[in-house]
């Protein structure tokens, strides 16, 4: 038990699979996924978008393959990507065969809508031959008719039964390298379905609140749904579904993980909402700092508070802190200790330089420890 047991998360035990070179499940880190929205046959646009997602820290990227032109382009996309590619397949089993041959690390399918048992067997054979994993994707908006008739509406029991039916189709063909999602746009439905599935199977679970909405609304819904499941130890990989650019999904995904202490990447900003006591424009300052510090990957913390009410206390808990003072002169804290003042006009540039220097210091220390351990 840690010294702060109220922060402890006991993770659900699950089998581990590989999606390309990325482990999912077991004791592997919770991974962050997104999906491209460019036309897949447009290789340049798709790869450019993948690059932006890679810069944001994405672990796995899904690419839609609705037609033969898309799977034909997939080979180039896979070759250019630095992270594993999941091919998104619906209905057309031949697209799954082509995607597997093109180098996809994972096939996102619903085995039930692929067709006959023989077609499922063909997809499984292609996945095995190419070292592909499979992601079973159950969605409340596309449940099987027999389950809708049985339950009357999409409900947690229906989503779980659909997932277990699809799992059995793969297991009947001796395929076990799969992860499963039971997504819904309703937060309550999705969370309850994942809780039920977590008890029914030991496979890795892919979390998401589907069709969550725009950047603000979708972030809130996803944070509630995905966050509550992760808090209770459920979930091995996540995708935040937003009507926003994919790199924004990645950033929100990491913010959810950072808030729960599950994964730390980049700068964690602690900032006040601002009020009449503020010694500088907190809102605009935080916006500028978040934009200027996106390139920092080293985990560290930064507090930005407008006045001395809570500023010193928050600064004690962060690597770097700044508290607003009078006459455009503000206090800077390093490792929780008051260190020096900075003038208003130089504040943003100064904090950026301090963060970059601290990141370099942390990286150098880590490298030195790694070298010492290897000797």
């Amino acid at each position: 038990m840690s010294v702060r047991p109220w922060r402890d998360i006991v993770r659900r035990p699950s089998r581990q699979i590989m999606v390309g070179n990325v482990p999912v499940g077991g004791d592997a880190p919770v991974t962050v996924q997104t999906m491209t929205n460019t036309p897949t046959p447009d290789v340049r646009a798709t790869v450019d978008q993948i690059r932006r997602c890679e810069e944001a820290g994405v672990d796995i990227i899904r690419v839609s393959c609705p037609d033969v032109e898309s799977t034909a382009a997939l080979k180039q996309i896979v070759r250019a990507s630095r992270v594993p590619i999941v091919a998104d397949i619906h209905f057309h089993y031949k697209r799954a065969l082509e995607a597997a041959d093109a180098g996809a690390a994972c096939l996102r399918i619903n085995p039930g809508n692929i067709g006959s048992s023989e077609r499922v067997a063909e997809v499984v054979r292609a996945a095995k031959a190419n070292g592909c994993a499979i992601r079973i994707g159950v969605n409340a908006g596309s449940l099987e008719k027999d389950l809708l008739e049985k339950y009357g509406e999409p409900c947690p029991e229906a989503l779980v039964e659909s997932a277990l039916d699809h799992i059995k189709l793969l297991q009947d063909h001796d395929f076990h390298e799969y992860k499963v999602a039971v997504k819904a746009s309703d937060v309550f439905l999705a969370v309850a379905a994942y809780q039920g599935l977590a008890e029914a199977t030991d496979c890795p679970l892919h979390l998401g609140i589907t069709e969550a909405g725009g950047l603000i609304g979708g972030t809130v819904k996803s944070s509630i749904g995905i966050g509550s499941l992760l808090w209770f130890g459920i979930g091995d990989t996540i995708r935040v579904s937003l009507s926003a650019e994919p790199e924004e999904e990645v950033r929100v995904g990491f913010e959810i993980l950072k808030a729960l202490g599950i994964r730390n990447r980049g700068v964690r900003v602690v900032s006040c909402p601002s009020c009449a006591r503020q010694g500088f424009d907190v809102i605009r300052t935080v916006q500028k700092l978040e934009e200027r510090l996106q390139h920092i990957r080293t985990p560290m913390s930064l507090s930005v508070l407008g006045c001395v009410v809570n500023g010193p206390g928050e600064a004690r808990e962060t690597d770097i802190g700044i508290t607003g003072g009078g006459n455009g002169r503000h206090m800077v804290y390093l490792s929780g200790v008051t260190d020096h003042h900075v003038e208003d006009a130089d504040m943003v540039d100064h904090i950026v330089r301090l963060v970059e220097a601290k990141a370099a210091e942390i990286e150098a220390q880590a490298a030195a420890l790694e070298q010492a351990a290897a000797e």
Side-chain angles (χ1 to χ4, degrees), residues 212-223 242:
L215 182 58
I216 294 177
T219 294
V220 171
K221 287 177 67 175
S222 297
S223 298
L242 303 175

Side-chain angles (χ1 to χ4, degrees), residues 223-285:
S223 298
I224 294 169
I226 295 173
S228 62
L229 287 165
L230 290 170
W231 195 344
F232 288 102
I234 297 172
D236 303 287
T237 183
I238 67 173
R239 190 255 172 126
V240 178
S241 299
L242 303 175
S243 299
E245 293 305 319
E247 53 266 40
E248 295 297 336
E249 295 187 349
V250 178
R251 294 186 184 108
V252 173
F254 270 103
E255 288 300 325
I256 292 172
L257 296 180
K258 283 159 66 175
L260 291 168
I262 293 173
R263 275 184 77 180
N264 290 307
R265 181 188 190 276
V267 182
R268 177 176 62 86
V269 177
V270 176
S271 61
C272 67
S274 80
C275 70
R277 292 191 305 268
Q278 64 183 353
F280 58 87
D281 188 338
V282 173
I283 293 174
R284 250 58 63 182
T285 299

Side-chain angles (χ1 to χ4, degrees), residues 119-190:
R119 288 185 174 180
V120 173
E122 281 194 62
V123 173
V124 168
R125 284 195 293 270
K128 286 182 175 179
N130 291 281
C132 287
I134 288 178
R135 200 261 275 185
I136 296 170
V138 175
N139 194 304
S142 56
L143 273 174
E144 296 89 329
K145 289 182 180 178
D146 62 319
L147 291 176
L148 288 174
E149 291 173 2
K150 177 179 177 178
Y151 291 99
E153 64 175 1
C155 63
E157 294 80 7
L159 268 67
V160 172
E161 185 170 333
S162 176
L164 295 178
D165 287 345
H166 291 145
I167 286 172
K168 187 176 185 304
L169 284 173
L170 296 184
Q171 290 180 334
D172 285 346
H173 294 288
D174 194 30
F175 190 86
H176 306 282
E177 296 298 303
Y178 58 83
K179 52 182 176 164
V180 184
V182 281
K183 295 186 179 182
S185 60
D186 182 295
V187 174
F188 297 96
L189 174 55

